[in-house]
Amino acid sequence: MTALTLSTSAAPGLRADAIVIGVAKGAKGPVVAPGAEAVNEAYDGKLAGVLETLGASGAEGELTKLPSPAGFKAPLVIAVGLGAEPEDRDYPAEALRKAAGVAARALTGAKKAAFALPVEDAAAVGAIAEGVLLGAYSFDTYKDNGKDPKAKNGKAPLAEAALLGGKPRDAAHKAAAARATAVSEELNRARDLINTPPNDLTPAIFAGIAQEAAKEHGIKIQVLDDKALTKGGYGGILGVGSGSAATPRLVKLSYTHAKADKHLAFVGKGITYDSGGISLKPAGHNETMKCDMSGAAAVFAAVVAAARLGLEVNVTGWLALAENMPSGSAVRPGDVLRMYSGKTVEVLNTDAEGRLVLADALWAASAEKPDAIVDVATLTGAMMLALGSRTFGVMANDDAFRSTVHEAAEEVGEPAWPMPLPEHLRKGMDSATADIANMGERMGGGLVAGLFLREFVGEGITWAHLDIAGPAFNEGGPFGYTPKGGTGSAVRTLVRLAELTAAGDLG
């Protein structure tokens, strides 16, 4: 992973492969952003005009390369777009994060780069650091890159980034950089898991990875295998995993702090591969289904990040891990499962399996009476149709908590949107055979899934459901600090919720 340093050095004398500066979109053309004063002076104050001549406008995601002026030790200047110039010149954290990510991606193969982006405060330091660390990410485990295991398409990711304007002796700046490092490293761990082929990430292997991380970071862990799940009556997880030779697991990660008086529970859907089961997905819809464990990856990463940050809150993570495959032993449409809660569920569609494993994990989490439960899942294609590929839906049994979760997501730069749980849709899941069916009305399918999950949340417990089906896996090209493939969606939202809870600010 890219090494971060804070530096008060002047850009001209810094030895690096490139100097990264910001350029904003002004009313009359590109505007050089704060942090690039030394570069602008070396161009006799005409850098904006030079950039405009080269076609730069300052638009978000835009990148322009030009040779460094005389006297600079770095041979290259990279000007990256920050979007519209703010009236108060106070650039939003997300604009800085995205710009740093764009530059970091462009610097693949470089040994060192200096980032001279606007640094007003510690929050800006954290945003730039996150952008660099997330933008430099690559997954090349299965590519032949010669002798360099870190190589990205033949080139290693950016090795070192110096954040100019970041003060190495300033406690707030150091803390912001340390937080960004911990969160980004865990988010990138989640990305690695999501990108790992399903033949190398079965439920048992995932549980083993969690055990190693728990040991490293002082987190208590409990792993229920298929025998323990059978003994405990976890019918949902067992039913979904019954068609696969790779048996299911339920993993419980418990991070505790001696001074904590609040408890959060995070629950993640971990379908390590989803064929759809007997309700088989058609060709064209199953090639990326290794990503159906993105919710569990996000929960895992968030719990470890909370431990690394030493947050004064108790956080429990539940990873509901199974592989959904068709076979002679697989659950069939029409089967009835008795869930861990004791309720019975008629399975009308075996491809609506995520809600079945989550139901067991939600009930298990509820037994501990946490102050709030948040589940994360790549749950429905309907949510993608509603919100697109970059925004996740937020549902809850409490409007105030739904707003808090939504605001936390937006604060950290994860697009989200509050969604309702219309009571009239519940009737569509009535079953003549069981307590409830796992399918309801087709229209509003994402909301129906949320209503199903609500049935398995303990009475009186505040709960939210994040449907990350859209943003969890980027099938298009990279943008900002988001790579192609697994994105680590919801990790930063969960960490922020833990921070708010630790600070006593969770609504």
Side-chain angles (χ1 to χ4, degrees):
M1 189 164 172
T2 304
L4 273 182
T5 58
L6 304 181
S7 176
T8 55
S9 300
L14 196 66
R15 294 187 182 278
D17 294 300
I19 305 290
V20 177
I21 63 170
V23 55
K25 192 171 185 177
K28 298 181 179 180
V31 176
V32 178
E37 291 83 0
V39 180
N40 192 30
E41 285 180 17
Y43 276 96
D44 297 325
K46 299 178 181 178
L47 180 56
V50 172
L51 289 169
E52 187 171 24
T53 300
L54 292 172
S57 67
E60 180 185 300
E62 184 180 78
L63 186 139
T64 306
K65 296 181 180 180
L66 61 162
S68 292
F72 275 61
K73 291 184 178 179
L76 181 69
V77 171
I78 294 179
V80 61
L82 291 164
E85 181 187 23
E87 291 183 7
D88 56 4
R89 303 275 282 177
D90 185 11
Y91 288 85
E94 184 64 1
L96 297 175
R97 199 178 285 116
K98 288 179 177 178
V102 168
R105 284 194 289 107
L107 285 161
T108 297
K111 292 183 178 180
K112 183 176 180 178
F115 285 73
L117 295 171
V119 175
E120 279 291 320
D121 51 23
V125 171
I128 295 168
E130 276 190 10
V132 170
L133 297 173
L134 298 178
Y137 171 84
S138 66
F139 184 75
D140 295 289
T141 303
Y142 295 85
K143 293 182 179 179
D144 182 5
N145 290 309
K147 296 180 180 180
D148 188 351
K150 297 180 181 178
K152 179 180 181 180
N153 298 323
K155 296 181 180 179
L158 172 64
E160 182 183 350
L163 308 191
L164 304 189
K167 301 172 184 176
R169 296 184 179 180
D170 184 291
H173 284 207
K174 288 170 62 179
R179 178 194 181 278
T181 299
V183 173
S184 298
E185 286 181 351
E186 295 312 319
L187 192 153
N188 283 339
R189 189 207 297 261
R191 288 172 170 177
D192 283 347
L193 288 167
I194 297 163
N195 288 325
T196 299
N199 57 316
D200 281 345
L201 192 71
T202 62
I205 293 173
F206 195 150
I209 292 170
Q211 286 175 314
E212 292 176 5
K215 183 178 180 180
E216 179 182 356
H217 297 289
I219 299 168
K220 185 178 179 181
I221 187 168
Q222 179 184 14
V223 178
L224 300 184
D225 61 13
D226 54 321
K227 292 180 181 178
L229 291 169
T230 300
K231 184 177 180 180
Y234 292 85
I237 297 174
L238 287 166
V240 172
S242 63
S244 175
T247 55
R249 298 289 187 274
L250 178 61
V251 178
K252 177 186 176 184
L253 294 156
S254 302
Y255 160 69
T256 58
H257 192 284
K259 296 181 179 180
D261 58 7
K262 294 290 185 180
H263 177 199
L264 284 181
F266 298 149
V267 177
K269 172 188 172 183
I271 304 300
T272 56
Y273 181 74
D274 182 19
S275 70
I278 297 297
S279 306
L280 193 67
K281 293 179 185 289
H285 291 78
N286 53 19
E287 291 81 358
T288 60
M289 282 298 102
K290 64 181 181 180
C291 78
D292 213 19
M293 36 60 66
S294 296
V299 167
F300 171 43
V303 174
V304 177
R308 291 181 60 176
L309 295 172
L311 300 181
E312 289 188 18
V313 58
N314 295 332
V315 182
T316 306
W318 299 83
L319 317 181
L321 308 176
E323 188 175 67
N324 187 24
M325 295 290 286
S327 74
S329 60
V331 68
R332 296 152 293 219
D335 282 354
V336 173
L337 302 177
R338 185 170 296 279
M339 313 298 281
Y340 181 58
S341 68
K343 284 186 178 181
T344 54
V345 176
E346 183 181 10
V347 179
L348 299 180
N349 187 330
T350 66
D351 196 23
E353 85 299 329
R355 64 199 72 182
L356 299 175
V357 301
L358 285 174
D360 277 354
L362 284 168
W363 193 255
S366 296
E368 297 189 338
K369 304 294 183 185
D371 293 284
I373 298 175
V374 180
D375 78 67
V376 187
T378 46
L379 206 60
T380 65
M383 195 58 61
M384 294 180 68
L385 291 173
L387 298 178
S389 61
R390 296 190 184 184
T391 303
F392 63 73
V394 183
M395 286 153 268
N397 61 2
D398 180 275
D399 288 348
F401 188 57
R402 182 183 63 184
S403 295
T404 297
V405 174
H406 176 221
E407 290 164 7
E410 294 290 337
E411 180 185 350
V412 299
E414 295 196 307
W417 197 251
M419 301 293 282
L421 290 173
E423 294 297 335
H424 71 272
L425 291 176
R426 169 60 184 85
K427 185 173 178 56
M429 290 184 284
D430 285 349
S431 166
T433 307
D435 295 322
I436 190 172
N438 77 329
M439 293 291 289
E441 293 184 29
R442 182 169 178 267
M443 299 301 172
L447 313 181
V448 170
L451 286 164
F452 179 91
L453 295 178
R454 190 182 66 178
E455 297 280 323
F456 297 89
V457 176
E459 186 176 352
I461 298 175
T462 302
W463 158 79
H465 161 56
L466 312 185
D467 190 337
I468 61 169
F473 196 84
N474 176 26
E475 295 188 58
F479 58 93
Y481 51 86
T482 302
K484 183 179 178 65
T487 65
S489 177
V491 172
R492 289 179 294 144
T493 297
L494 296 180
V495 173
R496 186 61 187 140
L497 288 172
E499 289 175 326
L500 290 170
T501 304
D505 295 331
L506 189 68

